[in-house]
Amino acid sequence: MSAPAGAWRLDVALDGQMPEALRSRARAAGRRRGQLVRRALVAADVVGLALALLVAELLFGTRGEADRLGPLAEYLLFLATLPGWVVMAKLYRLYDNDDERADHTTIDDFVGVFHLATVGTWCVFALAWASGAADPGMTRLVVFWLLAVAFVTSARAAARSWCRRHPSYLQNTIIVGAGDVGQLVGRKLLMHREYGINLLGFVDSDPRERRADLEGVSVLGPPERLPHLVDSLGVERVVIAFSSESTDSTLDLVSRLKQLDVQVDIVPRLFDVVGPHVKIHAVEGMPLVALPTAKRFPFSRTLKRTVDIVGASLLLLITSPIFAFAAWRIRRDSPGPVFFRQTRLGQDMREFTILKFRTMRVDTDDSAHRAFIRDTMSSSAIPTGNGLYKLNRDDAVTASGRWLRKTSLDELPQLLNVLRGQMAIVGPRPCLAYECEHFEPHHYERFSVPQGITGLWQVTARAHATFGEALDLDVAYARSWSLGLDLWLMLRTPLHMLRRKGTA
């Protein structure tokens, strides 16, 4: 007799025996992502620094009689200081984040790498000056510093790219709690393969009815079996997601997990209002989560607008050949205008006409999109057949439109909207008027800032999020907007575009 729809399959027998399929899936992932990535990053830092020194030496040579040993003195000094560079990188926590944070990227390291290169360069200069072992000269020192920032960052990106293809990068993961929140976390982990999470299943003594998009993921038993599962399946990460167990039982479970050297992630009770940039402080040892407030310079909005004008102008100049090619392709593929014009809502819900490259046939009916918005407001919505929250309009999309959508180049004409002051480079996605019919009251906060081409939703979720979740991300951006957040999103947007697959 088959199990009813939504029923869970128990993958661990009462005697603790696990099916071979589960063991095989656990063995497919390696062990200790942290060790793999740390070694790769140490090697990347050494290679980046060595290349920076070599290129600076090739460009400027030695300083003649001042360096009686020639470049040999500088090479020996560099080798002697290498352990110091690695120690400083460790102090800046440049080796500690990849096994702790599933979404960590090289862009998140940039400030730390910049500090490392700056402090390290001046320490080497002071050591050379004090010892008289070498005289690198200010010009070569500055060039080395700039090259060190560029080469170390690039080497780290290459090292992480290699690590993500290695079996040991996958982290065997179990979620404690198979309720609505736990299953939502599971869905997000499954949809973001770039996190390197190998979700083995849930532990829960009283699971909720299973979501349809978690087919194949099982309950592995009650929480008290978790230590045994960690040992048997090589689990490296456990996510505590609103388990029905008592607080004392959960605390005891976390303590036992920490003794097993497992990364423990805890979904906070008020996760709806806790953003990615919260800080932890303490009152007599009791940790408190500090929600960031908008701390802006007096001229922050003026600076943001200046960045928008300069950035949009440069991007329009750089991408002008793409504009010409896209216009030719669009006119060749189907009759109609090059640009698609549509009324959207900008800051303070002011209407404006957005510009995009036309990707569909003229006069395409919007009823399918209206239904899609209505059906994907809830986080419990099930993704489409391609596993994404993306409306499939292959019947209306042109040949050039598929290419433009896949590369996100259909958004380029919005740079003209930025120059007109109707949009910003970074901000919430401009909404259609009928989308507001489904808004919750707090969703209107997204209109307090300029609407943008890229933003928090586009970079962190894109088609992996429901429409309601996308609105929540827009609200999170509006509440915590800063110039630093804008810069972080700008830097991550090209990386996201290059890494995207199947979201066109």
Side-chain angles (χ1 to χ4, degrees):
M1 182 176 177
S2 60
W8 292 94
R9 183 180 76 252
L10 187 64
D11 252 0
V12 180
L14 293 177
D15 61 359
Q17 295 299 313
M18 285 166 280
E20 184 57 32
L22 180 61
R23 291 184 180 275
S24 298
R25 191 149 60 90
R27 286 196 298 266
R31 284 285 287 160
R32 305 268 72 95
R33 173 199 290 189
Q35 294 176 9
L36 170 73
V37 178
R38 277 190 285 273
R39 290 168 181 169
L41 291 180
V42 169
D45 290 345
V46 171
V47 170
L49 292 168
L51 285 175
L53 176 66
L54 181 61
V55 173
E57 193 69 42
L58 291 174
L59 289 174
F60 295 98
T62 61
R63 290 170 56 84
E65 294 181 0
D67 285 340
R68 285 175 291 177
L69 296 178
L72 179 59
E74 292 180 10
Y75 294 151
L76 293 175
L77 181 64
F78 172 75
L79 289 174
T81 59
L82 267 181
W85 286 95
V86 174
V87 170
M88 279 196 297
K90 174 65 177 176
L91 293 176
Y92 281 115
R93 290 184 55 82
L94 290 173
Y95 304 128
D96 299 339
N97 293 307
D98 290 84
D99 52 344
E100 297 176 4
R101 297 178 50 189
D103 63 343
H104 192 74
T105 69
T106 301
I107 291 173
D108 299 312
D109 288 345
F110 183 78
V111 173
V113 170
F114 181 85
H115 287 171
L116 171 69
T118 303
V119 175
T121 299
W122 283 107
C123 286
V124 169
F125 173 76
L127 180 62
W129 174 78
S131 65
D135 182 15
M138 188 57 65
T139 301
R140 273 188 297 170
L141 205 65
V142 171
V143 170
F144 168 78
W145 167 65
L146 292 173
L147 292 175
V149 174
F151 288 169
V152 169
T153 301
S154 301
R156 283 177 156 257
R160 282 196 171 95
S161 179
W162 176 81
C163 287
R164 289 191 178 100
R165 294 191 292 270
H166 196 282
S168 293
Y169 189 78
L170 291 176
Q171 285 186 317
N172 287 329
T173 301
I174 290 178
I175 298 176
V176 179
D180 292 336
V181 175
Q183 294 190 46
L184 178 61
V185 173
R187 187 260 286 176
K188 291 179 179 293
L189 293 178
L190 288 175
M191 296 187 76
H192 287 273
R193 298 295 183 184
E194 70 274 14
Y195 291 168
I197 298 296
N198 184 34
L199 181 58
L200 300 178
F202 296 83
V203 293
D204 200 323
S205 56
D206 186 23
R208 289 280 184 92
E209 182 179 344
R210 183 175 58 188
R211 296 170 56 108
D213 51 357
L214 289 177
E215 184 70 31
V217 183
S218 305
V219 169
L220 306 179
E224 53 264 28
R225 288 186 181 268
L226 187 54
H228 169 67
L229 293 170
V230 168
D231 182 62
S232 302
L233 299 176
V235 174
E236 291 191 68
R237 182 181 294 267
V238 173
V239 182
I240 310 291
F242 291 15
S243 170
S244 59
E245 303 298 312
S246 67
T247 301
D248 289 340
S249 298
T250 303
L251 289 174
D252 179 65
L253 182 63
V254 171
S255 298
R256 294 170 67 187
L257 290 173
K258 297 305 290 183
Q259 295 173 7
L260 297 174
D261 191 23
V262 174
Q263 172 64 37
V264 178
D265 298 328
I266 301 175
V267 179
R269 287 286 173 184
L270 300 178
F271 70 93
D272 307 76
V273 296
V274 176
H277 300 289
V278 298
K279 294 180 175 63
I280 304 293
H281 63 105
V283 175
E284 292 188 0
M286 177 181 290
L288 301 178
V289 178
L291 301 182
T293 57
K295 301 178 180 67
R296 298 171 187 145
F297 292 110
F299 304 105
S300 289
R301 294 192 181 276
T302 302
L303 287 173
K304 180 179 175 68
R305 181 61 188 149
T306 302
V307 170
D308 286 339
I309 293 174
V310 174
S313 300
L314 289 174
L315 287 172
L316 282 170
L317 181 63
I318 294 170
T319 60
S320 56
I322 299 177
F323 263 79
F325 177 73
W328 171 73
R329 281 284 305 270
I330 293 169
R331 295 300 297 269
R332 187 193 69 172
D333 284 350
S334 65
V338 170
F339 294 121
F340 171 73
R341 292 174 168 84
Q342 189 178 55
T343 300
R344 297 285 184 101
L345 300 179
Q347 186 176 9
D348 300 324
M349 299 187 69
R350 290 191 298 266
E351 291 187 346
F352 73 99
T353 300
I354 197 172
L355 295 175
K356 299 177 70 175
F357 282 128
R358 183 173 59 85
T359 59
M360 296 193 293
R361 298 194 305 270
V362 177
D363 299 327
T364 300
D365 184 23
D366 67 356
S367 59
H369 185 260
R370 289 175 179 266
F372 175 78
I373 294 299
R374 181 188 64 247
D375 295 341
T376 57
M377 270 300 298
S378 172
S379 61
S380 62
I382 304 302
T384 55
N386 58 4
L388 302 171
Y389 293 97
K390 187 77 172 178
L391 181 61
N392 189 347
R393 301 301 304 271
D394 287 344
D395 57 329
V397 177
T398 63
S400 60
R402 281 190 289 273
W403 165 68
L404 289 168
R405 288 186 169 203
K406 186 174 183 179
T407 58
S408 294
L409 293 176
D410 58 322
E411 313 280 355
L412 275 180
Q414 292 172 37
L415 293 171
L416 298 172
N417 292 114
V418 174
L419 288 180
R420 293 174 181 175
Q422 299 163 329
M423 291 178 63
I425 293 179
V426 180
R429 181 186 63 88
C431 274
L432 292 157
Y434 64 74
E435 293 175 339
C436 297
E437 298 172 4
H438 308 285
F439 278 20
E440 298 290 338
H442 69 283
H443 288 152
Y444 288 94
E445 292 183 47
R446 66 191 304 284
F447 294 113
S448 64
V449 294
Q451 311 298 279
I453 299 175
T454 187
L456 191 60
W457 164 70
Q458 293 93 325
V459 166
T460 61
R462 193 73 178 191
H464 296 295
T466 65
F467 180 64
E469 291 168 341
L471 292 176
D472 290 337
L473 287 170
D474 288 341
V475 172
Y477 170 84
R479 289 173 175 173
S480 59
W481 169 76
S482 67
L483 292 174
L485 178 58
D486 278 6
L487 178 60
W488 181 77
L489 291 171
M490 287 182 193
L491 290 173
R492 290 197 64 162
T493 296
L495 177 66
H496 179 73
M497 291 173 62
L498 292 172
R499 198 167 56 191
R500 274 176 54 205
K501 291 182 181 178
T503 57

